[in-house]
Amino acid sequence: MEKNQGQVCSTGQENYQVKFPIGVKLAIIIGFIVLVSLGLVTFLNSHFIGQDVQITAENSNLSVNSRSAITVEDKLNVIRSNVFQLLDLLNVVSGGRSSVLARQAESFFFERNQDIAAIYILSESSVSKQKSTDIRILNNSFFISNEIDAGAMDLFLQASEEAVRRSCNGETVALNASPYFETPAMALLFPYSGNGRNQTCIITFSIETISDILGTDSINQTFIINDSDELLCHPETKRVLRGESLKNDALVMEMRRNNQNNDDSRQILYEVTDSSGKKSRYYGAYKKLAFGDIVILTTVPFDTILEGVITTRKNNIYLTCIVFFLSVMFILFFARFGISRHLRRLTEAADEIKNGNFETPVISMLNTKRRDEIGVLNQSTKDEREFLNLFAKFTNKGVARAIARKEIDFEPHLKDVTIFFSDIRGFTAISDGFKNRFANDSPREIISFLNDYMSRMVNCITLSHGNVDKFEGDAIMAVWGLLRDDSLDFEKLDDSAPHKIEQKKNHEAHVKQDALNAITGTIAMRYALMKYNKDAALFTKEHENEPLAKYKPQIKIGCGLNTGRATCGIMGSDDKMEYTAIGDAVNFASRTESSNKPCGTDILITEDTYNLLKNDYIRCSENNFTISEENLQNEIIVEKIPVEFEVKGKGVQHFYGVVNMPGFDIERFFQQGDPAFKADEVCRKAVGAQGPKTLNELRLMLGIPIPEFEKVNLNEEENKIQVKQ
């Protein structure tokens, strides 16, 4: 951006140089006022708010800790109370624990307390040797649902022998059972003196509920330790699972020192030094529960408390600088930013149109609300975009884009392409049905139905990189490779030419990819058609009670694909032209489509297309019925139609019915055009992993009768249309 050192004004024959324009002076004065005022406000605001935030955060951290401690203590008391009620009930039930009533009581208890894994009543020596006075109640549903081996309880008890002894002698002990259960779990050991014996009641339970109580607040972090400073519960579950100890944690050590003064609840500011030597300060609050020497601790980073204040201070400083800069520069550069920027956008829009990007958001961003010349130009550019989009719909988006980019070769030339034809079965009867019901309104209803059907099919063609060539009534013709810039000049080279092999290899790879894309798009049509039929049935049911009820028919289609050499180019007259493909390969594709009915298929490919793809994507004898891992997602299942027919210049041929592409991902395919697309679960059976495995299974799914192939003559099928005299 240029900087003007001064402005030259001309009056008559004299020139005056303005050294200090008024705009510059005003910009400097206003900028200085803004800078001083915003700077002072930022400093005072940060100072006072910082103090308030610090006090609020301290109180909040202490409050969170107190609430968590009370809630956790209530939860543990409820667990203890419920378990002891169960034990009291079992003690008074006649017949002992083996009685039906006792078993029903246990079952009812575990239904109400699904997070409790086990209840053991043990004596001091019961860990190493089970005694008749022991009570061992397991919640089998807990172990099964969490995929835990019941032997984990025995391993846990063996490791907790000392804790069992302490509890039998009158202590309440809390232990971390997570490393043995491989899921967050805690054990509470309460002294138990039933039947005159000094025993312990071991309650083992999941801590998921307690974890939910503590929460996973990104600022305040609450966790639980026992009398040995072992983690019982923590937002970072993996620390609990590995049985981590916090003996060396700064907050825990400070708490233990304060415990010597019988200080059971307090908040402190402490400092932590990490492995790199960086020091961080934290507020830490702790509260000891009434039993088991269980401690609830809550921490919050000191820097996090003031993070909002610091961020606000930085933002205010940035804002001050921005406002100062804008105040200084606005007057000087108004013309540049008020005019040049919009002209640059117009230039970008023109370049996008030139590149064939008619849907570019750059054009949508043009401001048409301006009431000046730029606003008129912006509106004209948008109008041009609308015209070009309409033009692309009447021709072909790919062709229109190629014309705009001047990439299209207007001279007819040969190309190896894959041609597609499709046709609706029984369309004449469908059309007559509309005429009988809607009379003069039938054209509108037929077009509405066809537009719905064809938009779904065209979407599949477009997403698989094909080009719609034309619509002929209910039929669709599409070509893959039509716009590919792939010359056949290499065929004229001598076999000794160094680049011939490489060019031939690249050409064959392109043709093979086009054929694969064509089959992929056609397979997608099978899903799209099944979804259409489902939607059509719902549409028809919604309108069934209306006069002249609207409906959409259930339809079947046939699709034919052939790969071969065709003449491609602009064809027509000066008044009407189209970019298309013609030739024997195109005619053969049309014949392939019409052969679906006698073959009892919905998708047929020719032997040429089959031979092109079989080594890489079709399990056959040529590849020992194996496909490389990289090609598995594009595997094609086909079945040979057991009928021979004669092809001019090619001899005896076979068609191949396309059964499925088991690796076809419906959602990934359609999300190319609609990121929010979700596959219909009912229609998933059309293609992909849930699709048919054989041609007969496909016929059953689509309602196609299995043909009597011994009566089918495809050479006669080609000549069925005759002129009636």
Side-chain angles (χ1 to χ4, degrees):
M1 191 173 290
E2 300 175 358
K3 295 182 179 180
N4 298 327
Q5 298 298 325
Q7 181 178 348
V8 178
C9 298
S10 175
T11 305
Q13 300 297 322
E14 299 184 41
N15 293 332
Y16 298 96
Q17 185 175 8
V18 180
K19 295 184 178 180
F20 300 105
I22 293 178
V24 173
K25 294 179 180 178
L26 288 174
I28 293 174
I29 293 172
I30 294 173
F32 178 77
I33 294 174
V34 169
L35 186 65
V36 173
S37 58
L38 287 181
L40 184 60
V41 169
T42 298
F43 172 77
L44 294 175
N45 184 61
S46 300
H47 175 72
F48 292 115
I49 291 180
Q51 289 184 334
D52 292 341
V53 168
Q54 186 173 341
I55 294 172
T56 301
E58 291 182 43
N59 294 335
S60 175
N61 190 58
L62 188 59
S63 176
V64 167
N65 181 257
S66 298
R67 288 198 305 270
S68 299
I70 293 172
T71 308
V72 170
E73 188 169 6
D74 288 344
K75 174 65 178 178
L76 297 181
N77 280 327
V78 168
I79 292 174
R80 177 186 178 183
S81 176
N82 290 343
V83 170
F84 277 40
Q85 285 180 4
L86 173 65
L87 294 174
D88 291 342
L89 176 61
L90 295 179
N91 286 335
V92 298
V93 170
S94 61
R97 284 192 58 224
S98 60
S99 66
V100 174
L101 182 59
R103 290 196 301 270
Q104 289 178 345
E106 291 178 12
S107 176
F108 181 75
F109 174 82
F110 286 126
E111 285 180 7
R112 292 293 186 91
N113 300 272
Q114 297 180 6
D115 54 345
I116 295 180
I119 304 170
Y120 278 23
I121 305 296
L122 303 178
S123 60
E124 188 173 341
S125 59
S126 294
V127 175
S128 57
K129 184 178 180 181
Q130 186 170 346
K131 294 189 174 184
S132 59
T133 56
D134 296 344
I135 297 177
R136 298 174 184 246
I137 306 173
L138 285 177
N139 182 358
N140 293 320
S141 298
F142 179 90
F143 287 88
I144 293 172
S145 61
N146 290 279
E147 298 181 356
I148 302 172
D149 186 354
M153 191 66 192
D154 295 331
L155 294 175
F156 169 66
L157 290 176
Q158 291 173 10
S160 309
E161 188 172 358
E162 175 61 22
V164 171
R165 183 191 62 78
R166 290 169 52 199
S167 180
C168 289
N169 291 328
E171 293 185 47
T172 298
V173 183
L175 296 177
N176 178 17
S178 304
Y180 302 91
F181 282 65
E182 297 182 355
T183 189
M186 182 192 299
L188 287 177
L189 285 69
F190 295 102
Y192 190 80
S193 56
N195 300 322
R197 290 183 293 272
N198 291 330
Q199 294 177 297
T200 179
C201 176
I202 305 174
I203 307 171
T204 309
F205 56 93
S206 170
I207 60 171
E208 288 185 3
T209 305
I210 295 177
S211 297
D212 293 340
I213 293 173
L214 300 183
T216 56
D217 194 295
S218 59
I219 299 177
N220 298 86
Q221 189 177 75
T222 302
F223 51 96
I224 307 173
I225 63 174
N226 62 7
D227 60 337
S228 301
D229 299 332
E230 294 177 344
L231 267 179
L232 299 178
C233 185
H234 195 279
E236 298 178 25
T237 307
K238 60 183 180 181
R239 299 179 64 178
V240 179
L241 291 176
R242 64 173 177 253
E244 188 172 321
S245 174
L246 295 185
K247 280 187 177 297
N248 298 322
D249 184 85
L251 175 60
V252 174
M253 290 191 294
E254 183 66 24
M255 178 198 70
R256 293 306 182 194
R257 283 194 292 269
N258 293 333
N259 281 351
Q260 297 175 1
N261 300 322
N262 295 323
D263 193 350
D264 292 339
S265 178
R266 188 176 180 185
Q267 179 160 254
I268 60 174
L269 179 64
Y270 64 99
E271 193 173 81
V272 175
T273 304
D274 60 19
S275 57
S276 63
K278 181 181 178 181
K279 295 183 178 181
S280 303
R281 291 185 297 172
Y282 292 82
Y283 276 111
Y286 61 86
K287 185 174 181 62
K288 185 182 295 184
L289 302 188
F291 55 86
D293 202 16
I294 300 173
V295 184
I296 311 296
L297 303 99
T298 305
T299 65
V300 60
F302 182 81
D303 292 339
T304 303
I305 295 173
L306 300 179
E307 184 176 357
V309 177
I310 296 172
T311 301
T312 303
R313 181 187 302 163
K314 289 180 179 179
N315 291 339
N316 287 338
I317 293 174
Y318 296 150
L319 180 62
T320 300
C321 294
I322 292 172
V323 173
F324 175 74
F325 176 79
L326 292 177
S327 300
V328 173
M329 303 300 290
F330 177 76
I331 298 175
L332 299 177
F333 295 99
F334 171 76
R336 182 181 295 271
F337 287 108
I339 299 175
S340 298
R341 180 176 58 182
H342 298 280
L343 291 177
R344 284 196 298 271
R345 286 184 177 175
L346 275 170
T347 303
E348 291 175 9
D351 288 340
E352 291 290 333
I353 292 175
K354 182 179 178 182
N355 291 328
N357 300 325
F358 307 146
E359 298 292 343
T360 173
V362 174
I363 298 178
S364 302
M365 294 169 59
L366 296 177
N367 184 4
T368 57
K369 295 182 180 180
R370 293 180 57 138
R371 294 294 181 262
D372 55 12
E373 292 82 354
I374 292 178
V376 173
L377 287 172
N378 288 342
Q379 186 60 56
S380 299
T381 303
K382 286 190 173 182
D383 292 342
E384 181 181 1
R385 191 264 300 271
E386 296 301 321
F387 165 76
L388 291 172
N389 280 329
L390 187 61
F391 167 74
K393 290 179 180 179
F394 274 97
T395 55
N396 181 294
K397 285 188 177 181
V399 174
R401 187 175 294 111
I403 292 174
R405 295 176 179 175
K406 298 181 180 179
E407 296 174 345
I408 199 166
D409 186 356
F410 288 89
E411 292 295 326
H413 53 284
L414 295 174
K415 277 189 175 182
D416 290 329
V417 295
T418 297
I419 306 102
F420 163 91
F421 279 91
S422 73
D423 184 65
I424 297 177
R425 294 286 171 261
F427 181 72
T428 301
I430 293 173
S431 180
D432 290 342
F434 276 102
K435 291 177 183 178
N436 293 335
R437 175 173 294 192
F438 299 106
N440 293 334
D441 289 335
S442 62
R444 181 170 58 251
E445 298 297 329
I446 293 174
I447 293 300
S448 174
F449 142 63
L450 282 177
N451 285 343
D452 183 14
Y453 156 72
M454 287 186 172
S455 64
R456 299 172 191 245
M457 302 302 107
V458 170
N459 184 45
C460 298
I461 295 170
T462 303
L463 293 178
S464 59
H465 312 295
N467 291 278
V468 176
D469 188 288
K470 61 175 65 68
F471 300 106
E472 296 179 352
D474 61 307
I476 302 173
M477 175 184 171
V479 185
W480 279 259
L482 182 68
L483 300 178
R484 173 169 34 83
D485 184 12
D486 192 14
S487 172
L488 297 174
D489 291 342
F490 70 90
E491 294 182 346
K492 302 175 183 178
L493 297 176
D494 188 85
D495 290 340
S496 61
H499 301 298
K500 182 174 182 178
I501 296 177
E502 181 180 354
Q503 291 180 16
K504 181 180 180 181
K505 183 178 179 181
N506 291 337
H507 170 75
E508 291 175 349
H510 291 154
V511 176
K512 185 182 297 184
Q513 186 62 50
D514 289 335
L516 177 63
N517 288 343
I519 292 180
T520 302
T522 310
I523 277 288
M525 290 182 193
R526 185 184 291 162
Y527 168 84
L529 181 66
M530 186 173 288
K531 183 63 168 65
Y532 159 80
N533 282 328
K534 180 181 178 182
D535 294 342
L538 293 175
F539 177 86
T540 302
K541 186 171 181 61
E542 288 175 2
H543 297 275
E544 63 182 352
N545 296 323
E546 300 175 2
L548 293 179
K550 292 185 176 182
Y551 75 98
K552 288 185 179 179
Q554 300 288 297
I555 60 176
K556 298 177 183 178
I557 66 172
C559 304
L561 289 165
N562 178 44
T563 303
R565 188 156 295 183
T567 301
C568 305
I570 298 290
M571 300 177 194
S573 67
D574 292 339
D575 296 326
K576 176 68 171 69
M577 294 187 298
E578 65 179 357
Y579 193 82
T580 186
I582 60 173
D584 289 342
V586 178
N587 297 335
F588 193 17
S590 178
R591 179 183 178 185
T592 307
E593 180 276 317
S594 63
S595 299
N596 274 284
K597 185 175 181 180
C599 291
T601 55
D602 67 331
I603 303 172
L604 279 179
I605 63 174
T606 63
E607 198 163 310
D608 290 336
T609 303
Y610 171 81
N611 289 334
L612 185 65
L613 298 172
K614 64 181 181 180
N615 289 328
D616 294 322
Y617 305 107
I618 301 172
R619 298 180 189 271
C620 56
S621 58
E622 285 83 347
N623 57 26
N624 294 322
F625 299 96
T626 58
I627 299 176
S628 63
E629 186 174 348
E630 62 181 354
N631 292 332
L632 274 178
Q633 63 178 351
N634 294 316
E635 179 186 357
I636 306 169
I637 300 176
V638 302
E639 287 189 20
K640 185 177 182 180
I641 303 301
V643 179
E644 294 181 345
F645 63 99
E646 187 74 23
V647 180
K648 183 179 178 181
K650 293 180 179 288
V652 174
Q653 295 275 309
H654 280 90
F655 286 133
Y656 291 82
V658 178
V659 178
N660 193 12
M661 291 182 72
F664 182 80
D665 189 326
I666 298 173
E667 291 187 345
R668 184 173 64 182
F669 179 85
F670 286 101
Q671 282 174 359
Q672 296 176 90
D674 178 11
F677 175 86
K678 294 294 182 184
D680 185 279
E681 293 302 322
V682 175
C683 298
R684 281 185 181 272
K685 65 180 180 180
V687 293
Q690 300 180 25
K693 305 297 187 298
T694 65
L695 204 50
N696 282 342
E697 186 178 335
L698 172 66
R699 290 173 178 133
L700 180 63
M701 179 181 72
L702 299 180
I704 300 174
I706 299 176
E708 299 179 23
F709 286 109
E710 63 274 6
K711 298 180 181 181
V712 173
N713 187 337
L714 293 179
N715 292 312
E716 290 183 357
E717 294 290 338
E718 184 180 13
N719 300 312
K720 274 193 173 181
I721 301 176
Q722 299 177 354
V723 178
K724 184 176 181 181
Q725 300 296 331

